[in-house]
């Protein structure tokens, strides 16, 4: 499908006048909701913490929400979508990637942009928990990339209940995204992510002595250094470039059998056109790429609203799929 310019986003509150503020300020707060937590034990001895909002009288519709890098189900964009769609009759299954729920996971294995075994397990568990007739997958940033790769890899074998996937601010080319993080203006994001991931490396080094050379953290200057010293070796890969090829969703979308809508702001500080599947979106009939003028990175705040514009846009797309 052609790449589309979407001008429906009315713009952020007046005090969010650039992409950085439209990214940072909406990441604080969010609606207050109370999930029902379920611990899902995995066959490898690890666990995933799932957070549910269910309709009191049951629902045949389910939204699966996947958070971004070093996020969790308490991120404002996840809570906003959970509340918005729950009020409209959907059950909500928001899940935490390994190590992200507030308790470190048990195994050496962590999560990454291209990890889709866990999201598959979550989807299958959600489908087995009730007789859902319609399921929609919504992912944010890394979660959008994971959602898209899952749909691409599984193609026509995706469960029939899944209508499609929606991704906001998703990096489809991870190498390009890493390069963008090195820009001086993005130091705040790079520093935060590396601080949190480095703490997890220290934890894993203590839990699994001799497996991780934690001294290499002193040599990390660029994000690629972290992926070279830690991410790639933990996945059994030799180079960061091998990891980027494995994790980049753009490499796995050719066999899509369900529609994907991916939305990105042109003032997103950590996602630019090089990170997006521009060529594939022009060729594949099931991949729609929309660019908005503003919105930041998973920001899209609205004036005097408890929800954000991503919720509105997702609801519009779901309605289109259901009426097609």
């Amino acid at each position: 499908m052609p790449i589309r310019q979407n001008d429906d986003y009315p713009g952020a509150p007046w005090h969010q006048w650039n992409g950085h503020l439209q990214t940072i300020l909406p990441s604080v707060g969010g609606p207050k909701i109370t999930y029902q937590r379920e611990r899902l034990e995995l066959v490898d001895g690890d666990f995933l913490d799932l957070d549910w909002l269910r309709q009191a009288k049951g629902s045949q519709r389910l939204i699966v929400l996947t958070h971004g890098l070093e996020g969790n189900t308490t991120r404002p964009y996840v809570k906003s979508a959970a509340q918005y769609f729950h009020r409209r009759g959907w059950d909500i299954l928001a899940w935490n990637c390994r190590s992200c729920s507030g308790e470190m996971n048990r195994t050496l294995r962590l999560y990454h942009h291209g990890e889709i075994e866990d999201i598959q397990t979550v989807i299958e568990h959600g489908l087995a928990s009730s007789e859902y007739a319609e399921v929609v997958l919504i992912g944010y940033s890394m979660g959008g990339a994971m959602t898209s790769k899952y749909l691409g890899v599984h193609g026509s074998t995706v469960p029939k209940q899944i209508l499609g996937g929606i991704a906001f601010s998703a990096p489809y080319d991870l190498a390009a995204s890493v390069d963008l993080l090195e820009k001086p203006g993005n130091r705040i994001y790079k520093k935060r992510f590396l601080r949190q991931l480095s703490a997890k490396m220290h934890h894993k080094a203590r839990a699994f002595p001799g497996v991780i050379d934690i001294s290499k953290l002193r040599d990390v200057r660029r994000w690629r250094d972290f992926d070279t010293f830690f991410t790639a070796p933990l996945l059994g890969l030799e180079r960061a470039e091998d990891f980027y090829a494995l994790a980049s969703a753009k490499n796995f979308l050719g066999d899509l059998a369900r529609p994907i809508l991916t939305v990105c702001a042109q003032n997103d500080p950590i996602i630019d056109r090089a990170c997006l599947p521009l060529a594939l979106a022009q060729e594949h009939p099931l991949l729609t790429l929309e660019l908005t003028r503003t919105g930041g990175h998973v920001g899209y705040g609205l004036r005097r609203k408890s929800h954000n514009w991503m919720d509105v846009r997702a609801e519009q797309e779901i309605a289109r799929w259901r009426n097609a």
Side-chain angles (χ1 to χ4, degrees):
M1 288 187 177
I3 299 169
R4 301 197 300 230
Q5 178 73 40
N6 188 327
D7 295 322
D8 289 346
Y9 175 50
W14 65 268
H15 58 283
Q16 299 175 18
W17 60 81
N18 63 29
H20 290 293
L21 291 174
Q22 290 169 19
T23 298
I24 295 170
L25 295 183
S27 70
V28 179
K32 294 182 179 180
I33 59 176
T34 302
Y35 293 116
Q36 294 176 321
R37 174 153 291 189
E38 176 188 9
R39 175 153 293 185
L40 179 60
E41 295 290 339
L42 303 175
V43 295
D44 65 358
D46 217 333
F47 66 91
L48 294 173
D49 283 333
L50 316 182
D51 289 327
W52 289 87
L53 287 180
R54 291 185 173 94
Q55 298 297 320
K57 296 183 179 180
S59 176
Q60 289 189 311
R61 299 183 294 163
L62 176 68
I63 298 280
V64 178
L65 301 173
T66 305
H67 63 76
L69 181 67
E70 283 303 284
N72 53 47
T73 60
T74 69
R75 300 300 292 159
Y77 55 82
V78 176
K79 293 190 296 181
S80 177
Q83 182 183 81
Y84 186 89
F85 283 101
H86 186 252
R87 286 177 173 176
R88 286 157 175 79
W90 293 78
D91 279 0
I92 306 299
L93 172 49
W95 69 286
N96 299 275
C97 292
R98 301 188 193 215
S99 79
C100 293
S101 66
E103 180 179 337
M104 184 59 68
N105 65 310
R106 302 176 190 133
T107 64
L108 180 63
R109 176 176 171 178
L110 287 171
Y111 68 94
H112 59 80
H113 282 73
E115 205 292 310
I116 60 171
E117 291 182 13
D118 285 350
I119 191 173
Q120 180 182 5
T121 299
V122 169
I123 292 167
E124 291 174 349
H125 178 75
L127 287 170
S129 70
S130 186
E131 295 184 358
Y132 292 113
E134 296 177 333
V135 178
V136 173
L137 314 179
I138 305 178
Y140 304 88
S141 193
M142 179 196 73
M146 295 169 75
T147 295
S148 300
K149 183 181 174 182
Y150 163 79
L151 290 171
V153 168
H154 290 281
S156 60
T157 65
V158 166
K160 65 181 184 300
Q161 297 94 327
I162 295 179
L163 299 182
I166 302 173
F168 292 101
S169 309
Y172 284 81
D173 186 316
L174 198 54
S177 179
V178 165
D179 289 341
L180 197 56
L181 274 176
E182 296 300 332
K183 288 190 173 183
N186 288 332
R187 188 174 303 164
I188 183 175
Y189 312 111
K190 173 185 170 183
K191 184 177 179 181
R192 171 179 171 267
F193 288 143
L194 283 178
R195 181 178 67 250
Q196 293 174 330
L197 290 171
S198 296
K200 290 184 178 180
M201 289 302 102
H202 278 286
H203 188 285
K204 294 299 183 184
R206 293 192 297 270
F208 301 92
V211 176
I212 296 174
D213 183 0
I214 205 67
S215 68
K216 288 289 188 180
L217 282 175
R218 295 193 298 267
D219 300 324
V220 172
R221 298 293 180 269
R222 305 175 306 155
W223 192 277
R224 284 177 183 264
D225 296 332
F226 185 89
D227 288 333
T228 297
F229 298 145
F230 299 101
T231 311
L234 285 174
L235 292 170
L237 303 172
E238 293 185 2
R239 306 178 304 154
E241 288 73 18
D242 300 325
F243 164 59
Y244 300 147
L246 172 71
S248 293
K250 71 170 190 176
N251 297 331
F252 301 91
L253 298 180
D255 293 330
L256 273 179
R258 296 291 191 282
I260 293 176
L261 169 68
T262 183
V263 182
C264 187
Q266 290 173 284
N267 71 343
D268 187 325
I270 59 176
I271 300 291
D272 64 6
R273 294 177 72 90
C275 304
L276 300 174
L278 298 175
L280 190 60
Q282 292 175 323
E283 300 171 358
H284 203 298
L286 292 176
L287 178 62
T288 300
L289 171 60
E290 287 187 354
L291 301 175
T292 61
R293 300 185 190 281
T294 62
H297 187 76
V298 291
Y300 289 107
L302 291 171
R303 298 177 181 91
R304 296 183 294 276
K305 298 290 185 181
S306 61
H307 60 271
N308 60 55
W309 181 78
M310 293 183 287
D311 306 331
V312 176
R313 183 64 191 93
E315 184 181 34
Q316 292 171 346
E317 191 67 9
I318 293 168
R320 189 181 72 83
W321 293 340
R322 298 176 77 194
N323 296 328

